[in-house]
Amino acid sequence: MALSTDLKPMNIKDTLEATGMKGKNMIFLDDWSRDQLAALFRAAELLEPFSRTQLDLLKGKILYTLFFQPSTRTRCSHEAAMLRMGGRVITETDPLHNSAMAKNESLHDGIRVLSQYADVLVLRHGDLDEVFSTLERLGDHACPIISGGFGHVTHPTQGLLDVYTAYRVIDKPLSEMRIIISTPDLSRARSGQSFALGAARMGAHIIYTGTSELKTPDVVRDKLTAMGASFEEHFDLDKAGNLDLMANADLLYLPGSSLKKEDPNREDFMKKVANHAFTLEDLQNLKKKTGRAIGIMHSLPRNDFEFDQAIDNTEFQLYFKQIGYSIPLRMALLAAICGVN
Ligand code: CP
């Protein structure tokens, strides 16, 4: 092994520059190399001590959050991250009623205008085709855009904070991790699919378990295949089959459902989720068998019936830890995209 001759102390500015994200959009995680994601995670580690205080890296910058769908975590944690770095925030949570989009202004025109007020924009939108055609038409005539969730397919900052959580809490390299993505509806699991793309890019092995009629969208499968990801897919397993998969994994990720309460497909999800649910006792039995605790991740919000909430205050719980790691990760992301002096 060669000894390193690079003995410079880690520096936030150099680390952010190494991400190569300055001025870029954040749409899919496979757009970034393993080295770029590793640099982003190093920047997030450097920023962790400031996630409950202040570090004025982005003083004078403005973040615009434009959310066409409801959100608690994604919008508030981007806003908190910007405020922690001395920047400012303009929030629009209901553009179809409050903004000129209520007067039929197109998404293209809205973003082109807002880009002249803000340095970076986080957009959540349910219509993937409309977003992608708008982004293509905007080209360079917009500020950098971060997806806060597009359609049912991509939610890259959720995926990033989830990979960062795995990197911080599991005592082995990402390239040695075995990660399960478990839901009856892999077709509408944008957080799980973004986590899969990010974790696979870092070399983790991905194990999907879902139902045969609601598989991973082709656009995501094609991306995994193109990057040479190591992944396997299982369909229609019963609860015992899913527990068997868990016996050989480091993490179980539950992406929940991005369907709204009133969506008719939600009932189907609720019926089938029983095969993916588990109790605290199941996890304790698995630990006795394997000698190690599996980490349980969920992008939240969760439904009562998805898993036993007695897990909340145990060693298996990572879903509230993910929230804590979302702030330094999103601080690093905003600083990498905006650039710092
Ligand atoms: N995980 C997530 O996207 O949560 P919100 O819908 O609250 O943003």
Side-chain angles (χ1 to χ4, degrees):
M1 187 178 74
L3 290 176
S4 172
T5 51
D6 181 8
L7 300 177
K8 277 194 306 189
M10 274 228 281
N11 163 304
I12 187 66
K13 188 167 177 277
D14 294 347
T15 310
L16 290 168
E17 277 175 13
T19 67
M21 293 179 181
K22 188 172 175 185
K24 303 276 176 59
N25 292 341
M26 173 57 69
I27 312 293
F28 281 110
L29 291 188
D30 65 313
D31 291 340
W32 310 101
S33 69
R34 193 184 290 202
D35 286 349
Q36 287 177 302
L37 295 184
L40 187 72
F41 296 160
R42 279 197 301 279
E45 281 185 284
L46 290 172
L47 292 171
E48 271 185 28
F50 305 97
S51 62
R52 301 291 289 177
T53 58
Q54 179 105 7
L55 179 70
D56 284 346
L57 281 180
L58 294 183
K59 200 163 181 203
K61 301 284 187 194
I62 293 180
L63 163 69
Y64 200 107
T65 50
L66 181 62
F67 276 58
F68 287 83
Q69 295 178 307
S71 167
T72 298
R73 283 148 286 269
T74 310
R75 183 176 62 77
C76 295
S77 64
H78 276 103
E79 294 183 357
M82 191 55 153
L83 294 169
R84 293 287 183 200
M85 290 189 295
R88 291 173 189 238
V89 174
I90 305 173
T91 305
E92 178 52 80
T93 57
D94 195 3
L96 293 178
H97 290 100
N98 297 334
S99 80
M101 292 181 205
K103 297 184 279 185
N104 252 349
E105 182 160 64
S106 66
L107 186 62
H108 167 274
D109 287 6
I111 292 178
R112 195 157 170 171
V113 169
L114 298 173
S115 290
Q116 299 190 50
Y117 308 145
D119 299 285
V120 57
L121 186 146
V122 181
L123 171 68
R124 173 170 284 189
H125 200 288
D127 187 333
L128 203 63
D129 293 340
E130 186 180 351
V131 170
F132 284 164
S133 62
T134 298
L135 290 178
E136 197 176 333
R137 199 174 148 209
L138 281 167
D140 293 338
H141 301 289
C143 67
I145 294 170
I146 298 173
S147 167
F150 291 166
H152 294 299
V153 169
T154 188
H155 190 351
T157 67
Q158 180 70 47
L160 277 174
L161 76 90
D162 296 331
V163 182
Y164 182 62
T165 302
Y167 161 78
R168 293 289 283 115
V169 305
I170 305 287
D171 193 17
K172 63 164 74 165
L174 282 157
S175 58
E176 291 173 20
M177 287 185 204
R178 292 173 58 83
I179 293 173
I180 301 175
I181 315 282
S182 172
T183 171
D185 188 356
L186 288 163
S187 71
R188 288 172 289 224
R190 63 189 181 189
S191 56
Q193 298 298 357
S194 294
F195 181 46
L197 283 180
R201 176 59 96 202
M202 300 306 288
H205 177 70
I206 307 300
I207 304 161
Y208 284 111
T209 170
T211 48
S212 45
E213 71 269 33
L214 295 169
K215 291 182 178 172
T216 290
D218 286 345
V219 60
V220 177
R221 281 188 103 265
D222 292 349
K223 285 172 175 295
L224 288 166
T225 306
M227 73 165 83
S230 166
F231 70 101
E232 57 190 87
E233 297 175 287
H234 300 264
F235 300 110
D236 307 320
L237 295 181
D238 59 11
K239 183 176 165 178
N242 279 316
L243 287 174
D244 279 347
L245 291 182
M246 289 161 72
N248 288 305
D250 301 291
L251 287 171
L252 175 80
Y253 189 95
L254 301 164
S257 170
S258 47
L259 296 171
K260 282 168 95 168
K261 260 200 277 194
E262 61 271 22
D263 192 307
N265 293 307
R266 210 175 161 83
E267 195 155 324
D268 198 34
F269 175 85
M270 284 157 69
K271 269 191 239 144
K272 291 175 179 151
V273 84
N275 285 338
H276 297 258
F278 47 86
T279 63
L280 175 57
E281 196 182 353
D282 291 328
L283 300 186
Q284 288 164 334
N285 288 338
L286 274 176
K287 186 179 173 184
K288 270 188 216 142
K289 195 163 122 188
T290 64
R292 58 192 170 76
I294 184 167
I296 305 299
M297 302 180 78
H298 193 300
S299 44
L300 303 179
R302 61 181 167 176
N303 298 287
D304 293 347
F305 47 81
E306 283 188 69
F307 62 95
D308 180 0
Q309 297 192 9
I311 293 164
D312 285 4
N313 297 323
T314 68
E315 63 183 320
F316 305 103
Q317 181 268 112
L318 297 179
Y319 34 94
F320 291 120
K321 292 195 175 76
Q322 288 164 247
I323 305 295
Y325 287 118
S326 73
I327 298 292
L329 184 281
R330 284 178 168 137
M331 287 169 78
L333 181 65
L334 289 169
I337 287 177
C338 291
V340 298
N341 293 322

